[in-house]
Amino acid sequence: MQTLKAVLRQVRDRSARPIGDHTCSLASNNATRTLHDMRRLVHRPRRLRRSAALRNLVRETHLTIHDFVLPLFVSEKLDERRPVASMPGVFQLPMKAVADEARRAQDVGLEAVLLFGIPEHKDEEASGAYAENGVIQEALRAIKSKCPELVAITDVCLCEYMSHGHCGVTRIDGEHFHVLNDESVELLVKTALSHAASGADIVAPSDMMDGRIGAIRGALDARGFDQTGIMSYAAKFASVFYGPFREAAESPPQFGDRRSYQMDFANGNEALREVALDIEEGADILMIKPALPYLDILWRVRERFGKPTAVYHVSGEYAMVKAAADKGLLDEHTAVIEIMTALKRAGADIIVTYWACELAKWLRE
Ligand SMILES: [Zn+2]
């Protein structure tokens, strides 16, 4: 066996030789020796990458239409579909169009939609969120009358209905504002109950108040809605990637930010504690939001708890790919398939995405 010193000396000598025939023959000798060494390789992972058929045989992660949930924005203020400027291809829908849109989603093979409402009026009690004839309540009835089999999931939050745009009841003390937890939970419970009564299959609290899952589960059970599921936004991070959504849902906070209730994006262990609490309180499905920058959280949650796990590929993530594709920097279709496969590989059972309809079509081709 050569000493390290001897090897280093050989390398130094070789690199000092002038370029010429001698060097070439030396290089070819080396190449032969390398080939000879390589022939002794037992494991050659590239064997299974030689053709599309072989790659298909050993592929570990397969996307299906059933993986995807389509978000829908329903507005009481509109008569016509309105494009969301920051999210090309996404529209706010008037009430009269929502059932048809849901039917279109079902016709391409999707099983579920996630509803967000934009009310005509906002106030300090978010009364539109739990009004008998509120935007979500009406949309649910319209969808359920047209496509009863489609799973209707509703966003349960107060921000779209609050004049100040925060996800809970606020109190302002001079320069400071507080989002009051228990007072907010009361309104979230009323909202979830009213969605269940209007036909929601699953309610999805996205507010990040403490204890809301337990309170909602208890109230649903007490009113006979024990079959209404809860998809908890269990680990929702305060993220810059929500920017375009706030235009779509018309819910930007009028003051302050959401960091006193949404999670610090630097924290992973805290996300596991949040998820554990929501499971204890009765969540059926756990949601991680946003998606791609939080693959580690998704993986840890799915591995640790083994519960149905959803991920929300959010507006900013969508807009980034759209912008890059628009500039010709990457191919949208290929990028979206890679992203969605990565989310599923990292543990997502359910992916909420604005590409749901396109994916359904692409996967069928
Ligand atoms: Zn909110």
Side-chain angles (χ1 to χ4, degrees):
M1 190 139 159
Q2 286 177 304
T3 63
L4 180 62
K5 237 181 193 170
V7 172
L8 286 173
R9 195 163 47 239
Q10 276 180 14
V11 170
R12 201 175 47 235
D13 289 347
R14 255 178 237 153
S15 57
R17 280 182 218 276
I19 295 170
D21 287 351
H22 178 70
T23 315
C24 284
S25 78
L26 186 83
S28 111
N29 279 346
N30 281 344
T32 315
R33 193 161 60 233
T34 309
L35 258 177
H36 179 75
D37 292 343
M38 292 289 281
R39 280 200 195 96
R40 278 191 255 123
L41 266 183
V42 174
H43 300 288
R44 292 178 181 272
R46 288 183 54 194
R47 278 181 198 128
L48 299 179
R49 294 178 206 145
R50 277 193 306 124
S51 69
L54 281 165
R55 292 192 292 273
N56 284 340
L57 274 178
V58 297
R59 179 159 299 135
E60 298 171 33
T61 309
H62 296 269
L63 296 176
T64 82
I65 291 172
H66 309 307
D67 298 332
F68 304 111
V69 173
L70 176 70
L72 292 179
F73 299 99
V74 196
S75 172
E76 275 182 335
K77 299 191 284 188
L78 295 178
D79 285 323
E80 299 297 327
R81 286 155 61 97
R82 191 182 80 84
V84 178
S86 53
M87 300 168 69
V90 176
F91 294 82
Q92 289 180 341
L93 304 167
M95 187 61 72
K96 64 182 182 193
V98 71
D100 285 338
E101 195 69 21
R103 169 59 69 83
R104 258 194 294 281
Q106 196 175 32
D107 286 346
V108 296
L110 298 175
E111 311 269 26
V113 291
L114 172 57
L115 295 173
F116 294 89
I118 302 147
E120 177 90 55
H121 302 290
K122 299 173 188 248
D123 56 34
E124 298 271 311
E125 290 87 39
S127 56
Y130 42 86
E132 166 73 23
N133 296 317
V135 56
I136 291 297
Q137 292 76 358
E138 292 287 334
L140 279 168
R141 286 188 277 268
I143 290 171
K144 281 295 172 181
S145 69
K146 201 149 197 168
C147 1
E149 300 299 314
L150 186 69
V151 176
I153 310 173
T154 57
D155 180 74
V156 173
C157 200
L158 305 174
C159 48
E160 294 104 315
Y161 306 89
M162 286 285 194
S163 39
H164 48 63
H166 276 288
C167 301
V169 178
T170 56
R171 192 183 66 215
I172 297 172
D173 293 337
E175 300 267 290
H176 302 285
F177 81 99
H178 308 275
V179 174
L180 307 175
N181 194 83
D182 298 7
E183 291 81 346
S184 304
V185 169
E186 263 179 53
L187 299 187
L188 292 162
V189 166
K190 281 170 82 166
T191 306
L193 275 175
S194 116
H195 290 182
S198 306
D201 297 291
I202 296 175
V203 292
S206 62
D207 51 283
M208 289 301 282
M209 297 302 132
D210 294 334
R212 90 278 207 217
I213 300 301
I216 289 172
R217 185 71 271 159
L220 287 172
D221 291 351
R223 305 290 171 87
F225 297 114
D226 54 80
Q227 293 303 303
T228 307
I230 300 180
M231 177 162 84
S232 159
Y233 287 65
K236 180 177 179 180
F237 292 86
S239 168
V240 72
F241 294 107
Y242 303 146
F245 174 93
R246 289 175 188 159
E247 184 204 331
E250 299 182 11
S251 61
Q254 301 300 308
F255 50 84
D257 57 43
R258 291 181 163 134
R259 284 181 293 180
S260 76
Y261 42 105
Q262 295 177 352
M263 280 189 55
D264 182 346
F265 56 71
N267 295 356
N269 292 329
E270 186 190 357
L272 298 185
R273 293 197 296 273
E274 279 279 7
V275 168
L277 283 172
D278 284 5
I279 291 174
E280 229 177 83
E281 291 177 31
D284 300 289
I285 302 170
L286 292 324
M287 163 100 84
I288 316 299
K289 183 182 182 181
L292 213 50
Y294 297 89
L295 286 187
D296 58 325
I297 310 292
L298 175 57
W299 173 255
R300 291 172 75 186
V301 166
R302 191 65 181 73
E303 286 288 292
R304 170 84 63 99
F305 301 104
K307 296 272 286 183
T309 306
V311 70
Y312 198 137
H313 188 262
V314 303
S315 59
E317 299 179 82
Y318 174 86
M320 282 198 301
V321 174
K322 281 283 183 186
D326 189 50
K327 284 186 155 42
L329 301 177
L330 49 76
D331 177 65
E332 179 177 343
H333 171 273
T334 318
V336 172
I337 295 289
E338 184 173 335
I339 290 168
M340 298 301 146
T341 305
L343 297 179
K344 192 163 180 186
R345 192 192 63 230
D349 300 294
I350 298 166
I351 301 171
V352 182
T353 167
Y354 301 101
W355 276 296
C357 285
E358 285 82 355
L359 279 158
K361 287 175 210 153
W362 293 337
L363 291 173
R364 212 178 280 137
E365 280 161 11

